[in-house]
Each structure stands twice: as C-alpha cells, then as structure tokens.
Amino acid sequence: MRRYDFLVCTLSTRLVWGCPEPLLVDFYRHNLRERHLDIGVGTGKLLDVAGAPSGRDDFEALHLLDVNAVPLAMTADRLRRFSPITHQVDALGTWPLEDNSLTSLGASLMMHTLPDEGRGLAGKTGMFDQAARVLEPGGRLFGSTVVTDAAFARRWPPARLLISAYNRRGFFTNSRDTTRDLRAELEARFINVRVRVRGCVAMWEADAR
C-alpha cells in the first residue's frame, strides 16, 4: 500500500500525468457528500486524506466498490473509522445499491483501466448508467481519468510513453478516450456537467437529474 501510494498517488500524478495529488484531494473535499460511494478504490488514499464531508465528522454511509478483493479489503481497513460497506462488484456491472440512495459518487483515476470492447469511452458508460440510477436527484458524480487527447499527453514524453506501454500491456484501455467523448457521455445522463483538464487528466463533476 505504501509503495502504491508513493509511486501512483504521489509521483505519477505529478511527474507523469501532470495532475498533482493535492489537487485531487481538494477535488474530493469539494464534492464529497454524506452518503458516498467510491468505485475502483485503489488504496483509498485520496479519500483517506480528504476525510469526511465538509462540516461533518463522519459519513452517514460510506460504500466502497471494486471488482478486486485485495484492494477492497485494504481500503476498507484503511477507512475503518468510517465503518465502510464493501461491494465486490464489476464497475461496469449492476451495483447492489438502491435507486436514489446516494448523495455523492467518486471515481478517481480508474476509468482509463476499464475494458472498452474496442469502443473507447462508449464501451465504459455502464458505470455512468449505474451512477445515474443510484444517485438521488441533485447528487454529485465526480471523477478523474487519463485521456489521450490532452495536449500534455502528446507533448510530454513520459506521459506519452507510459500511456502507450500501459495500453500494450493491458493496464490501461484508454487509447481512444477523449475529453470530448467524456463530456458527451456525461451530458447524455447528467446535468451541470463540468470537465476540466489538468495535465493529461480530465476531472469531471456532474449532478444527477
């Protein structure tokens, strides 16, 4: 966990992707609500550092969802002060959560790893469909993902080389992921969509209808 935190959350975000970790933590703090779901949890560092929603000591409910048992268990232990509820489920499958039951949902630096069936972002939008279902009206969806159309991704050699290598090895599946497609898929399902790019990371916020 410590190695992942340092290599991925601290070094890679700043030196390769051009989107420093403190910016991602602030993004969490700005968007967290009292009934929250985090998907593709990694080690839970960003959520751990961000803490409970503004003005609160705890979540009303905190859910963690990941297809892999090990990171899910590690993150749940790291966030045990919030008594998280875990769900070992594919982010592109059907989530075991009730309709309109959540007030926020975070998907940080994970969408570029989801299988796309050769369709780019259009092959990953089952995640957005589920998010639209489980968020209550006005609930906040937010997240970040590495995109390939950002100028930074084309001109910064470490980013360009690592994106290419990760796609060849199957760690990433984002060779067709673009900011334009991300915005279009969000606007088809949500309102008040805001997308900004920092380095080669697209950061989005949107509200449930």
Side-chain angles (χ1 to χ4, degrees):
M1 181 183 287
R2 288 191 297 271
R3 183 163 55 248
Y4 180 96
D5 284 350
F6 180 68
L7 292 177
V8 176
C9 295
T10 302
L11 281 186
S12 291
T13 55
R14 180 180 296 275
L15 300 180
V16 180
W17 310 134
C19 185
E21 178 187 348
L23 182 65
L24 295 169
V25 171
D26 286 343
F27 196 50
Y28 262 84
R29 288 177 175 149
H30 176 69
N31 287 295
L32 281 173
R33 305 291 188 265
E34 66 274 8
R35 298 191 308 279
H36 179 75
L37 166 66
D38 230 49
I39 64 175
V41 296
T43 65
K45 183 183 182 184
L46 298 177
L47 185 53
D48 181 32
V49 176
S54 178
R56 299 179 62 97
D57 296 324
D58 199 353
F59 292 87
E60 186 176 318
L62 174 62
H63 296 265
L64 306 174
L65 187 150
D66 200 292
V67 70
N68 297 305
V70 172
L72 190 62
M74 292 171 64
T75 300
D77 182 64
R78 182 177 201 157
L79 298 171
R80 59 187 179 276
R81 67 189 186 278
F82 299 130
S83 302
I85 303 163
T86 59
H87 309 277
Q88 189 179 350
V89 179
D90 186 346
L92 298 179
T94 301
W95 302 348
L97 291 155
E98 295 182 4
D99 295 1
N100 306 320
S101 60
L102 302 174
T103 51
S104 65
L105 192 159
S108 183
L109 296 177
M110 54 79 66
M111 200 166 186
H112 50 254
T113 69
L114 295 177
D116 66 358
E117 301 176 349
R119 298 166 55 212
L121 277 168
K124 307 178 183 185
T125 53
M127 184 184 85
F128 290 157
D129 293 333
Q130 288 296 302
R133 179 182 67 81
V134 301
L135 283 168
E136 68 176 26
R140 175 64 50 85
L141 169 68
F142 66 98
S144 55
T145 189
V146 176
V147 291
T148 57
D149 65 330
F152 188 91
R154 295 192 298 269
R155 72 172 186 263
W156 180 234
R160 187 173 65 248
L161 292 172
L162 208 57
I163 288 172
S164 177
Y166 280 2
N167 273 275
R168 286 197 306 272
R169 299 185 67 180
F171 299 152
F172 282 10
T173 49
N174 70 336
S175 60
R176 302 183 185 186
D177 292 2
T178 67
T179 310
R180 181 182 63 184
D181 289 345
L182 174 63
R183 182 183 295 276
E185 296 294 349
L186 287 167
E187 289 178 343
R189 298 164 175 82
F190 299 91
I191 59 174
N192 302 325
V193 173
R194 299 166 297 282
V195 180
R196 58 178 168 137
V197 176
R198 177 68 180 263
C200 52
V201 175
M203 304 169 64
W204 75 84
E205 302 165 278
D207 298 328
R209 299 182 190 277

